[in-house]
Amino acid sequence: MRIQAFENSYFSSVTYLIDDCTLIDPGDYRSDFKRVNTVLLTHVHFDHIYGLNELLSHKKDILVFTNLEGREMLLNAKLNLSWYHESPFVFSNANNVCIVKDNDEILLSNGLAVKAVFTPGHNHSCVTWMTDDMLFTGDSYIPGIKTITNLPGGNRKQAEESLRLIHQLAIGRSVYPGHKVNLK
């Protein structure tokens, strides 16, 4: 399995590309994404979704996986916080959104099974995506950085519970956070 990480223009968020077919948290659009057929969202804040409309303008049949709260946020610029940036974002392809429930499993086109684990706290749309040996945590867990809970939809107590769960799930797995981390 091949994983590529791309640092995006906004807040050093990171987009991951798995085997050229699955994106996690699409930011800046790149030509490397032309074979993508699936998008997994770790949460629906602007810096993790702003590339979706451009991505789907190149390939209209891409499926986007998030929870029910995430779908609501995709369709509302104030909820996804893009309203407060220079270009409000509303997802233009609502029919491409697939709702996942906690612990749902999805089989990707490359044969990889991923499990949706709800990890609210940073935001109520937070989903950690888990495979046998990988964990994509978004902003629910960024090594060395305290989880931000003071934005709309944040909850400190939920973040603490989610962090305990993520630490358990991370045992024996590589962790891929939602932002570039420079640890010394």
Side-chain angles (χ1 to χ4, degrees):
M1 176 174 345
R2 182 173 163 219
I3 299 175
Q4 294 173 273
F6 302 93
E7 185 177 352
N8 296 308
S9 301
Y10 288 98
F11 307 119
S12 298
S13 68
V14 177
T15 295
Y16 296 100
L17 177 62
I18 303 172
D19 287 343
D20 295 329
C21 64
T22 301
L23 273 184
I24 297 179
D25 293 350
D28 301 329
Y29 179 79
R30 293 169 171 80
S31 60
D32 302 75
F33 302 163
K34 58 186 162 217
R35 291 186 45 214
V36 169
N37 54 36
T38 306
V39 170
L40 307 175
L41 299 178
T42 63
H43 68 294
V44 186
H45 279 157
F46 176 62
D47 55 321
H48 296 267
I49 62 169
Y50 66 90
L52 272 174
N53 285 338
E54 185 172 1
L55 180 64
L56 269 81
S57 75
H58 294 277
K59 192 170 179 190
K60 304 216 180 299
D61 60 343
I62 293 173
L63 298 178
V64 178
F65 290 87
T66 185
N67 59 20
L68 190 59
E69 292 85 355
R71 183 184 189 283
E72 182 182 345
M73 291 174 69
L74 280 170
L75 304 176
N76 185 308
K78 285 189 177 177
L79 293 178
N80 66 45
L81 305 182
S82 65
W83 180 263
Y84 309 100
H85 297 276
E86 71 262 8
S87 54
F89 174 91
V90 174
F91 187 47
S92 61
N93 299 74
N95 292 334
N96 292 59
V97 177
C98 300
I99 304 299
V100 294
K101 294 182 177 127
D102 194 21
N103 294 312
D104 276 358
E105 198 166 277
I106 300 164
L107 186 62
L108 303 175
S109 63
N110 65 348
L112 180 67
V114 294
K115 185 177 187 178
V117 179
F118 287 13
T119 51
H122 173 65
N123 181 268
H124 51 270
S125 69
C126 289
V127 177
T128 292
W129 295 97
M130 181 176 72
T131 71
D132 288 339
D133 58 355
M134 296 177 292
L135 207 58
F136 296 90
T137 60
D139 292 1
S140 292
Y141 173 60
I142 302 171
I145 304 216
K146 186 177 178 181
T147 304
I148 294 172
T149 59
N150 62 350
L151 297 171
N155 181 300
R156 185 181 54 79
K157 191 168 221 43
Q158 285 181 332
E160 291 168 357
E161 292 169 11
S162 291
L163 193 55
R164 281 192 287 279
L165 174 60
I166 289 169
H167 282 158
Q168 290 173 352
L169 297 174
I171 296 170
R173 293 185 173 91
S174 298
V175 175
Y176 298 89
H179 290 267
K180 182 179 175 187
V181 180
N182 291 323
L183 297 176
K184 297 180 182 174

